[in-house]
Amino acid sequence: PGIVETPSADVTSLPYSERFNLAGSAISEATQYSFQGSYAEAALSWGKVIEIIPEWAEGYYNRGSAYLGLLNNQRSQEEYMHYLSLAGADFDKAIELDPYSKGDYYYGRFRYYDGLSSNQTTRADSDHLELIALDNLLMANRLGNYQKDAETRLALVYAAVGKCDETIE
């Protein structure tokens, strides 16, 4: 599949249901790229979806997840931090648009803060960010999510922030 063309400006004036239907092929393409692990193409395709339906939280979540998928292939810390910050902004937007429906949005933001924490030069900065990551992981688990490792990650983050009793639990 080729990357879907940018919609015309007048598309965004259509009702939500019509725009969602118009975005169907872009959503299918973006989903396919995501499942294939073609994260650069997925991020671009999710961007096209967001242009059509900018109020759809799931589009931001999926694009943020694609940016996270790109992190393993970066050649420099600068590139890594760039894609990490793009992912963080998308998870923030998904949560802003739909704060209490999906724990996966908070899990994505947990991954953002966890990644940010691991790239700090001081322990104090790292610990502060890891506590924010923990708060997001707890919210993800409270709301429910589809992440296989969410409970395991919770124990590891508790250990990382020095919460020994919670780690043992």
Side-chain angles (χ1 to χ4, degrees):
I3 294 183
V4 176
E5 294 299 314
T6 304
S8 61
D10 59 355
V11 170
T12 58
S13 65
L14 295 172
Y16 178 82
S17 60
E18 287 182 43
R19 288 183 289 121
F20 196 86
N21 287 336
L22 282 174
S25 62
I27 292 169
S28 295
E29 180 178 271
T31 301
Q32 185 176 3
Y33 281 133
S34 295
F35 282 127
Q36 291 171 347
S38 300
Y39 298 117
E41 292 86 355
L44 290 172
S45 292
W46 285 117
K48 301 299 181 198
V49 171
I50 291 166
E51 288 178 22
I52 299 168
I53 42 177
E55 68 274 34
W56 190 44
E58 193 73 12
Y60 291 96
Y61 166 73
N62 287 319
R63 186 173 67 179
S65 295
Y67 287 138
L68 288 181
L70 290 171
L71 296 180
N72 291 331
N73 298 320
Q74 298 313 307
R75 295 178 300 266
S76 70
Q77 185 176 14
E78 184 179 326
E79 284 181 3
Y80 178 93
M81 295 302 288
H82 172 71
Y83 285 111
L84 186 63
S85 69
L86 292 173
D90 277 350
F91 296 133
D92 285 346
K93 186 66 175 179
I95 291 168
E96 174 191 322
L97 291 170
D98 195 4
Y100 300 112
S101 72
K102 287 192 77 170
D104 290 300
Y105 301 166
Y106 289 91
Y107 189 83
R109 193 159 67 179
F110 152 72
R111 290 188 56 207
Y112 162 72
Y113 278 106
D114 189 53
L116 199 56
S117 170
S118 66
N119 278 283
Q120 298 304 303
T121 56
T122 68
R123 177 72 188 253
D125 290 339
S126 178
D127 287 350
H128 171 72
L129 292 168
E130 201 61 38
L131 286 171
I132 297 170
L134 174 61
D135 287 343
N136 280 279
L137 183 55
L138 290 169
M139 181 61 98
N141 288 344
R142 222 174 284 126
L143 291 174
N145 63 75
Y146 292 102
Q147 310 305 318
K148 293 181 248 179
D149 66 343
E151 288 297 324
T152 304
R153 298 288 294 262
L154 185 57
L156 295 172
V157 175
Y158 273 141
V161 298
K163 294 184 179 256
C164 298
D165 292 340
E166 290 88 343
T167 303
I168 292 169
E169 253 181 60

